[in-house]
Amino acid sequence: MTAREIFTGGVAVITGAGAGIGAGLARHASQLGMTVVIADVDVDAATRLRDELVADGRAAYAYGCDVRDPDEVVELAERTHRDVGNVRLLVNNAGVEQFGYLWDTPVANWNRVVDVNVNGVFHGVRAFLPRMLATPEQSWVWNLSSIGGVAAVPLQAPYIMSKHAVLALTECLRLEVELAGHDDHVHVQAVLPGAVVSNIFESAGGVSDGDVAAAESQRTAMLDIKAEAMDPIAAAEVVFEQAAQGRFYLLTQPDYVGSAMTERATVLATQRPPELRTKQRFEPAEH
């Protein structure tokens, strides 16, 4: 079956949907005929996207939500089910970046990455999944990891750690849904994008003490890749089609991200320590 055949008519809730791949997923879901709930801490961005979709005759809602706050995510779930309907697709996408040596990273910046990238996914699963399990309707949960979830990269340790955590969480969640006997109608999938056009690097945290230059140099290096980054709608189209095929790992750039996964598997299989490359190029998931 195609993505259009599977997802048309359902409700999609996407966190961090005001920009980047989240907005791309929202736009493509809308093109497929889904009713889209655009959730973002930036209410203005969410509202602008909603207005764009509604102006095209599509059904869309914009809700402010800080995924760091479990009560706000629960309210998002309750409001969605009350005002919009049962959720066919939940996309836990909200994410932030951080540059700099780990020992220079401010505690507040570390907590921000963990709270948004990891805890935000947990809060989303906890708020939405029980209702999805309780109905026999087919539904999907996508958690946004990254090519960074299968890589080791200096000067981005908090982000990389968070995306490894999301990937492990998603793999365990898939097993738990199967163990509980719900895998016939609830499909858990991990999204691993490569570089997708976004403003994540501009809004990324840095350091105020220590080696500030190293942190900003890494930010500059990441900004340089934006010229080659994938269009968010094109990335979303690939993800939806792979999901429709029943794949677990959904890769925006199958060859590039797939090669990173193969490299990771080789490193683990051979127990080779991480190697610092002269020109280490990393293209993470964008939000």
Side-chain angles (χ1 to χ4, degrees), residues 4-257:
R4 183 171 299 278
E5 291 171 325
I6 289 176
F7 294 105
T8 293
V11 174
V13 177
I14 304 170
T15 65
I21 194 171
L25 289 166
R27 287 188 173 98
H28 190 64
S30 181
Q31 290 173 359
L32 292 174
M34 302 194 80
T35 297
V36 180
V37 174
I38 303 157
D40 204 292
V41 70
D42 185 342
V43 180
D44 290 341
T47 302
R48 285 193 299 272
L49 180 53
R50 178 205 62 192
D51 292 347
E52 171 195 319
L53 298 180
V54 170
D56 288 338
R58 300 168 185 170
Y61 297 79
Y63 295 152
C65 183
D66 185 342
V67 299
R68 296 174 295 182
D69 186 335
D71 292 335
E72 287 197 26
V73 183
V74 168
E75 172 59 24
L76 173 65
E78 292 177 349
R79 188 175 181 183
T80 298
H81 284 87
R82 181 183 67 241
D83 299 341
V84 186
N86 290 340
V87 176
R88 176 81 61 81
L89 172 63
L90 169 66
V91 184
N92 291 306
N93 165 73
V96 295
E97 251 282 17
Q98 171 65 34
F99 297 120
Y101 285 111
L102 187 58
W103 54 87
D104 290 336
T105 301
V107 171
N109 291 24
W110 170 270
N111 288 340
R112 174 176 178 250
V113 171
V114 174
D115 284 344
V116 175
N117 295 10
V118 182
N119 293 345
V121 174
F122 166 66
H123 297 326
V125 169
R126 190 169 180 271
F128 283 90
L129 188 58
R131 287 185 177 91
M132 300 167 85
L133 296 174
T135 173
E137 296 178 8
Q138 295 292 310
S139 59
W140 284 258
V141 176
W142 297 353
N143 296 332
L144 267 286
S145 181
S146 164
I147 188 174
V150 293
V153 182
L155 300 171
Q156 292 175 244
Y159 179 86
I160 298 297
M161 174 280 303
S162 73
K163 293 305 179 179
H164 277 257
V166 170
L167 183 57
L169 179 156
T170 308
E171 291 169 335
C172 292
L173 180 63
R174 180 183 175 93
L175 295 175
E176 291 185 1
V177 168
E178 180 179 356
L179 179 64
H182 297 291
D183 58 311
D184 60 331
H185 66 101
V186 177
H187 312 281
V188 177
Q189 294 166 311
V191 184
L192 284 80
V196 178
V197 174
S198 171
N199 63 356
I200 190 173
F201 300 136
E202 291 90 339
S203 61
V207 302
S208 55
D209 298 311
D211 198 334
V212 176
E216 293 310 307
S217 176
Q218 188 70 1
R219 186 194 305 273
T220 299
M222 294 300 99
L223 287 170
D224 287 344
I225 75 171
K226 288 187 69 172
E228 304 172 12
M230 192 174 189
D231 176 79
I233 297 179
E237 183 176 1
V238 172
V239 169
F240 269 94
E241 290 302 328
Q242 291 179 356
Q245 295 166 12
R247 296 177 56 173
F248 174 72
Y249 299 102
L250 311 180
L251 317 179
T252 57
Q253 296 103 319
D255 291 341
Y256 178 72
V257 181

